[in-house]
Amino acid sequence: MDPRDTAPDSWEQEDDVEATIDGQLDSALLSLNVNAKPFVPNVNAAEFVPTFTGNAHSEKGGREEGGGGGGQGAKAGPTREELSVYVTLLSSLSKVKAWLMWTVCGRAAPVENGDSELTTEEPWDQIEAEPNEKEPGGGPRGDREPSMAATTEETAPEMMEEEEETPAPKVPATQPDAPKKEHINVVFIGHVDAGKSTIGGQIMYLTGMVDKRTLEKYEREAKEKNRETWYLSWALDTNQEERDKGKTVEVGRAYFETDKKHFTILDAPGHKSFVPNMIGGASQADLAVLVISARKGEFETGFEKGGQTREHAMLAKTAGVKHLIVLVNKMDDPTVNWSLERYEECKEKLVPFLKKVGFNPKKDIYFMPCSGLTGANLKEPTDIWFIHVWLPFISHLDSLPNFKRSSDGPVRLPIVDKYKDMGTVILGKLESGCIFKAQQLVMMPNRHVVELLSLLSDDVETDDAQPGENLKLRLKGIEEEEILPGFILCNAENLCHSGRTFDAQIVIIEHKSIICPGYNAVLHIHTCIEEVQITALICLVDKKTGDKSKTRPRFVKQDQVCIARLRTAGTICLETFKDFPQMGRFTLRDEGKTIAIGKVLKLVAERD
């Protein structure tokens, strides 16, 4: 049998056959005026007689039947008249239509020609439509032309791949335009080993921010160090030193979301040596969670004089936290065993102190029992009968009323930290105003003009930010060495005040001896830490009536309230408490203890 009469097994084989045939074309056929590659007529086509068009089949039926027995005659090539018809079609129709017509008439176009000229998907869809209808049933097309069947099978996966690449991206286009959830910053405070980091890690696991596989890895590593119960805290304590000692040093950061709100966790250190870090974390918080241990002996140690339970609650109030949730942790401990009496005992001791600090027990404080290690009463209620009185912790957070934000106010962003990463990067909480990408801002107090290159809110890049969000900003126009924690990012139209001297009302909380003019301490105001000196005592203030003394006091002592003039060692950014409370409240510390809290009343201009 003539090799030209057999259908090829693949496109490659057909290319070889056609290459041989093309070499044997006579000069008369080559003289045809056919310019486009796909439309070069092949007079020795494998099968010229159409098999799926009724008209062509009826016209050539006799010739097919006559030559069926010997296998010859049915495969005869086209006549000159037929070729002239196709040349006429080529000159009158567009390339795509002509190629389609030639294929319908029984001539399959070579692969290289089809690929070189066909750039749109529409002709492919038209071409593949009919063979796909014929082939599934195993009709005559599949029996007589295996090459076309194989081709369809080969091109079908390619078409599927093209269709799979076109769907929309995973993130819906409407998501960026969706209203943002309210951002709330929650600081976990309390005595060392009360379980703050464990509760934070458990919340991250329950809300899906940490996967089970990661926690299992932490659990294995903790068991190797004989610290089985520490593994949850490792979700927040990422520093190796913190993991080895089981003590938080830096303020840990994480975030989770509920149906209504977006929460940022600030895990403050509980050890008394790291109280300055805790103050920095509390200054960014909208809400404080005071974690206490119900275990026998641990609650008493944290609450007695010198324990961090007292100091942290007072510092949180000084930092401007208005709402306090008290989590009575370790209720599952064998010494407690979910005892209602122990829970009420802890509550009765705490309430009078918190009331003295300035919290309203009816409006500002919410007590709740829980277990950080097991996760009881954090997301789902437990089976303990008296626990059903309370909402689970996460549900209670979600039900809190919205906080009032000053989105129309001046831009105020106190800087918490800074580092180098493809430029200068700063971290801080936007206290007021709105910022956006490519905006020009001013760094106070050194008055550097900077440009925002990018904004990240909880590690998610965004084009703008609203008040209350914890941000990571990449700046242009300033070096990392020129920035210090406590600097403020402002808009050029409304700069914050800066200076060294100010008058403030101070409450002496704890100090063994008297305080006189010339006394030095460490000032903590928003995220700034600076050495300060009391230069003058102006008057005493009566705690009950608020009356001011007419004579200047020579000294002040513990539990007294006074108005004094203070002067810092360097220039700092600050505002009066009346104008901007977040930048007008401060703490004075000395010898590792908080000795006084206060608020800025007046800014004193510097003398030349």
Side-chain angles (χ1 to χ4, degrees):
M1 181 184 291
D2 191 341
R4 294 176 296 178
D5 296 338
T6 59
D9 295 330
S10 66
W11 282 113
E12 289 79 6
Q13 182 179 347
E14 187 179 16
D15 292 342
D16 296 339
V17 173
E18 288 186 355
T20 305
I21 296 171
D22 290 340
Q24 299 173 355
L25 288 174
D26 55 2
S27 58
L29 188 56
L30 287 175
S31 64
L32 289 173
N33 186 17
V34 180
N35 296 322
K37 272 189 176 182
F39 318 118
V40 176
N42 187 351
V43 296
N44 297 306
E47 185 171 2
F48 174 76
V49 180
T51 58
F52 58 93
T53 55
N55 295 336
H57 184 73
S58 59
E59 291 174 7
K60 308 295 180 183
R63 193 163 31 159
E64 270 187 334
E65 291 172 3
Q72 296 178 357
K75 309 298 182 183
T79 62
R80 291 286 178 179
E81 291 78 11
E82 289 172 334
L83 287 176
S84 63
V85 171
Y86 292 124
V87 172
T88 305
L89 286 174
L90 291 177
S91 61
S92 61
L93 298 176
S94 65
K95 292 181 180 180
V96 176
K97 291 182 179 179
W99 186 89
L100 181 60
M101 182 65 71
W102 185 261
T103 307
V104 169
C105 290
R107 168 65 164 84
V111 171
E112 68 271 14
N113 293 339
D115 288 346
S116 62
E117 290 289 332
L118 289 174
T119 56
T120 60
E121 292 186 4
E122 184 179 352
W124 280 107
D125 296 338
Q126 296 172 1
I127 295 162
E128 294 297 334
E130 293 196 33
N132 287 342
E133 293 174 3
K134 299 287 181 178
E135 288 177 3
R141 183 71 172 174
D143 296 335
R144 295 182 184 178
E145 291 192 3
S147 62
M148 290 300 295
T151 305
T152 308
E153 290 174 4
E154 290 173 6
T155 51
E158 295 175 4
M159 294 297 296
M160 298 275 293
E161 289 175 6
E162 289 179 6
E163 291 176 359
E164 288 173 0
E165 292 173 1
T166 53
K170 294 181 181 179
V171 180
T174 55
Q175 190 170 348
D177 301 331
K180 285 186 177 181
K181 295 181 180 180
E182 185 190 13
H183 282 246
I184 296 181
N185 301 281
V186 183
V187 62
F188 283 80
I189 59 176
H191 192 66
V192 64
D193 289 339
K196 301 180 293 297
S197 299
T198 300
I199 289 176
Q202 185 71 262
I203 289 172
M204 290 177 66
Y205 170 64
L206 293 175
T207 54
M209 301 309 297
V210 177
D211 57 280
K212 189 176 181 181
R213 185 175 179 181
T214 304
L215 276 187
E216 288 173 352
K217 175 190 171 188
Y218 291 160
E219 191 171 8
R220 286 194 304 270
E221 293 174 358
K223 281 183 179 179
E224 291 173 2
K225 298 183 179 182
N226 295 323
R227 298 290 186 269
E228 291 88 348
T229 59
W230 289 6
Y231 73 99
L232 283 166
S233 66
W234 288 8
L236 288 166
D237 293 342
T238 54
N239 192 329
Q240 192 60 42
E241 182 184 357
E242 292 178 334
R243 292 182 174 183
D244 292 340
K245 295 183 178 180
K247 293 176 183 176
T248 304
V249 178
E250 300 289 337
V251 176
R253 291 173 182 272
Y255 62 92
F256 67 95
E257 287 192 354
T258 60
D259 294 337
K260 301 177 184 177
K261 295 179 172 66
H262 177 103
F263 292 93
T264 299
I265 297 176
L266 302 166
D267 180 30
H271 198 275
K272 62 181 179 180
S273 301
F274 310 117
V275 171
N277 295 343
M278 175 265 160
I279 295 173
S283 67
Q284 306 169 59
D286 304 306
L287 170 74
V289 178
L290 179 62
V291 182
I292 62 172
S293 172
R295 185 181 288 168
K296 296 287 184 182
E298 285 192 4
F299 168 72
E300 288 74 15
T301 303
F303 185 66
E304 68 185 13
K305 210 167 188 179
Q308 262 48 62
T309 301
R310 285 173 174 266
E311 187 175 17
H312 280 203
M314 180 194 61
L315 290 172
K317 182 64 178 176
T318 307
V321 173
K322 296 179 180 178
H323 196 85
L324 183 72
I325 298 175
V326 182
L327 281 182
V328 185
N329 191 25
K330 303 188 182 180
M331 289 292 290
D332 60 325
D333 190 79
T335 63
V336 182
N337 198 21
W338 293 99
S339 169
L340 181 60
E341 290 76 15
R342 178 61 173 170
Y343 170 78
E344 292 294 342
E345 180 188 350
C346 298
K347 184 177 177 180
E348 287 173 5
K349 289 183 179 179
L350 267 175
V351 168
F353 171 74
L354 296 175
K355 187 176 180 181
K356 183 182 177 182
V357 168
F359 290 103
N360 186 332
K362 294 182 179 179
K363 297 180 180 179
D364 303 336
I365 307 172
Y366 189 85
F367 282 82
M368 186 183 302
C370 75
S371 170
L373 188 62
T374 63
N377 209 38
L378 289 180
K379 187 177 182 182
E380 302 293 338
T382 64
D383 297 332
I384 311 300
W385 65 272
F386 73 90
I387 300 296
H388 293 293
V389 179
W390 295 271
L391 274 173
F393 176 66
I394 296 176
S395 301
H396 176 71
L397 288 180
D398 208 22
S399 65
L400 291 174
N402 292 345
F403 289 84
K404 293 181 180 179
R405 311 284 190 187
S406 177
S407 57
D408 297 331
V411 174
R412 296 289 185 269
L413 191 146
I415 294 170
V416 178
D417 199 5
K418 42 90 180 191
Y419 60 90
K420 273 187 176 180
D421 180 22
M422 303 287 289
T424 304
V425 179
I426 62 169
L427 284 78
K429 175 192 170 187
L430 185 60
E431 296 285 1
S432 172
C434 298
I435 59 175
F436 51 87
K437 202 172 179 179
Q439 185 178 5
Q440 297 280 338
L441 297 174
V442 178
M443 183 74 70
M444 293 292 288
N446 54 13
R447 297 178 181 270
H448 265 101
V449 178
V450 299
E451 181 183 346
L452 296 185
L453 294 180
S454 64
L455 291 82
L456 281 87
S457 177
D458 282 327
D459 297 328
V460 178
E461 190 161 357
T462 179
D463 291 332
D464 53 49
Q466 303 294 324
E469 295 189 38
N470 261 288
L471 301 173
K472 189 182 293 183
L473 309 177
R474 183 169 279 109
L475 303 180
K476 177 184 177 182
I478 193 169
E479 293 298 324
E480 182 254 347
E481 295 83 5
E482 299 173 303
I483 304 174
L484 290 174
F487 281 17
I488 307 290
L489 211 56
C490 314
N491 51 343
E493 298 80 15
N494 195 330
L495 298 176
C496 70
H497 291 92
S498 62
R500 295 178 60 191
T501 308
F502 60 95
D503 293 344
Q505 181 174 311
I506 302 172
V507 181
I508 311 299
I509 295 170
E510 181 183 354
H511 197 261
K512 292 179 181 179
S513 60
I514 60 174
I515 294 176
C516 303
Y519 177 79
N520 291 309
V522 177
L523 172 75
H524 294 259
I525 182 166
H526 52 86
T527 60
C528 178
I529 303 174
E530 189 68 38
E531 189 177 345
V532 69
Q533 183 183 67
I534 298 177
T535 59
L537 297 174
I538 298 172
C539 65
L540 293 175
V541 179
D542 189 281
K543 276 188 174 181
K544 294 181 180 178
T545 63
D547 294 338
K548 300 174 184 177
S549 64
K550 296 180 180 179
T551 58
R552 288 198 175 194
R554 296 174 63 186
F555 61 87
V556 291
K557 56 185 180 181
Q558 187 170 323
D559 293 331
Q560 283 188 324
V561 181
C562 71
I563 295 177
R565 178 157 293 183
L566 294 87
R567 183 175 175 83
T568 58
T571 303
I572 62 169
C573 297
L574 73 167
E575 300 280 2
T576 61
F577 183 81
K578 183 180 179 181
D579 293 339
F580 202 83
Q582 295 94 324
M583 293 176 60
R585 53 172 73 94
F586 62 88
T587 306
L588 294 179
R589 285 178 58 82
D590 188 24
E591 297 178 355
K593 295 179 181 178
T594 301
I595 62 164
I597 57 176
K599 59 182 179 181
V600 179
L601 299 179
K602 178 185 175 183
L603 304 176
V604 181
E606 294 293 325
R607 293 178 183 177
D608 294 335

